[in-house]
Amino acid sequence: MARHSDLYTLIEPVPDLRSESGQGPVLVHGLEGFSDAGQAIQGATEHLREHLDAQLIAEFDADELVDYRSRRPHLRYSFDHFTGYDEPAIRIHAVKDTDGTPFLLLSGLEPDLRWDRFTESVIDLCEAFGVRMSVGLGAMPLAVPHTRPTHSSAHASDVDLIRGFTAWPGEFAVPGNAGSLLELRMSEHGIPSAGFTVHVPQYLAQTTYPAAVLDLVGNVAEIADLQLPTGSLESAAASFTEQVDSQIADSPEVLNAVEMMEKQFDQFMESRHGSDSLNPGGKPLPSGDEIGAEFERFLAEQSDDEGPSAG
């Protein structure tokens, strides 16, 4: 069935992945490793697996694909012995949305090695399962404020796939990653492919950012015509924003930086046509590291010494 079936194991029995109308499934892929600002990719894939009917149907051989020395898995230790091992995983689940429509979910660590063999294996599986479209998930830190609606950049092999969404204008080169390569290879093999890269505030990129997870899940639901649960994500995003607002309320330095970012962001949104930057002209924004350092300094001074969490 596949050119590189030695890279994965199929878990039998494989369910029928056709919808009631006979359509093949959509593949949603979110691989962690290259850039997962706000843990948005991990959060989105975990949310879909945990809040929907998900069945494991394929597992890739992590020993063949992951460089453990660059991303060392955790070993758990208790007093005088090791108790467990967080084994790296790259898996495909068959998932049903709330209306019972099936789709595929590829999640786990981004492969460090054998990208060509990996993408070919995924494409072969997609062809075997009759996948009609793929949707990739990405997240990147940008100079955007948490006080404004979360946005993402859409990209696709066919512009008609992302009508109504916002694409990132301009031409440029970006560091390669397996998820984006898969999106490219899908389109080269005649499978329509699209993706969304959510914009995460730089100063919150190292923590779980529920608003980014919500944005990705919402985009998948819209482009793939799937019914996906978002209630818990909406609550988590609102709660997180309240916590951040409360924690920075007494810090003039952080408030000033966020207000400056708000003005720059609003200017960009008003004049985005023909622009290719989230930091238009005017007073330079403080860097994400500068805001993050100030934010961390402020939190360290609080009596409970605890940062914001998703709740």
Side-chain angles (χ1 to χ4, degrees):
M1 178 177 66
R3 286 165 287 185
H4 299 297
S5 58
D6 56 309
L7 283 184
Y8 64 86
T9 300
L10 278 177
I11 312 299
E12 302 288 351
V14 176
D16 185 356
L17 298 175
R18 294 169 298 179
S19 66
E20 292 183 359
S21 64
Q23 273 191 323
V26 169
L27 170 72
V28 179
H29 57 93
L31 298 170
E32 309 156 26
F34 164 62
S35 176
D36 191 11
Q39 299 174 28
I41 300 173
Q42 179 182 355
T45 56
E46 286 182 353
H47 178 79
L48 294 175
R49 290 196 308 269
E50 294 172 1
H51 289 80
L52 294 169
D53 179 7
Q55 175 184 340
L56 179 64
I57 63 170
E59 184 157 16
F60 285 87
D61 186 350
D63 277 346
E64 289 291 319
L65 297 170
V66 177
D67 179 0
Y68 294 170
R69 290 182 298 178
S70 67
R71 288 181 290 173
R72 294 182 181 272
H74 289 162
L75 278 165
R76 293 184 296 280
Y77 184 85
S78 178
F79 295 100
D80 56 6
H81 67 288
F82 292 102
T83 61
Y85 171 51
D86 293 337
E87 186 173 353
I90 306 168
R91 295 168 174 157
I92 297 179
H93 287 79
V95 187
K96 292 182 179 179
D97 74 356
T98 56
D99 282 349
T101 301
F103 65 96
L104 293 174
L105 177 64
L106 169 62
S107 61
L109 294 182
E110 176 196 18
D112 298 299
L113 310 169
R114 300 174 177 85
W115 282 8
D116 284 335
R117 293 179 62 196
F118 172 73
T119 55
E120 288 170 359
S121 293
V122 174
I123 290 169
D124 286 343
L125 286 169
C126 287
E127 291 177 340
F129 293 138
V131 166
R132 59 184 173 86
M133 180 177 68
S134 73
V135 183
L137 307 179
M140 65 185 299
L142 285 175
V144 295
H146 74 280
T147 52
R148 295 294 184 264
T150 302
H151 292 271
S152 58
S153 297
H155 28 88
S157 58
D158 184 344
V159 69
D160 287 335
L161 290 175
I162 53 173
R163 296 289 183 189
F165 297 100
T166 301
W168 191 272
E171 295 184 357
F172 42 82
V174 298
N177 62 90
S180 295
L181 179 62
L182 179 58
E183 185 175 329
L184 173 65
R185 295 290 188 243
M186 284 283 208
S187 64
E188 292 175 346
H189 281 75
I191 301 175
S193 60
F196 296 95
T197 302
V198 66
H199 308 161
V200 177
Q202 288 175 315
Y203 53 97
L204 296 173
Q206 299 303 313
T207 189
T208 301
Y209 192 57
V213 178
L214 175 61
D215 184 83
L216 289 179
V217 172
N219 287 333
V220 169
E222 184 172 352
I223 196 172
D225 194 22
L226 295 170
Q227 302 302 312
L228 304 177
T230 59
S232 62
L233 295 176
E234 292 168 1
S235 298
S239 176
F240 182 87
T241 299
E242 290 178 1
Q243 292 181 54
V244 174
D245 288 343
S246 175
Q247 289 172 334
I248 69 175
D250 297 325
S251 174
E253 295 87 353
V254 175
L255 283 175
N256 181 65
V258 172
E259 289 172 359
M260 186 188 305
M261 192 172 291
E262 289 173 338
K263 292 178 181 178
Q264 299 282 27
F265 181 84
D266 292 342
Q267 290 174 10
F268 168 76
M269 296 303 291
E270 292 173 2
S271 60
R272 63 186 308 161
H273 296 294
S275 174
D276 61 355
S277 173
L278 278 174
N279 182 18
K283 187 176 180 179
L285 290 175
S287 71
D289 289 341
E290 290 170 341
I291 298 177
E294 180 60 35
F295 190 65
E296 291 175 1
R297 182 198 64 74
F298 172 75
L299 292 180
E301 294 175 354
Q302 306 310 296
S303 57
D304 59 3
D305 196 27
E306 291 181 355
S309 65

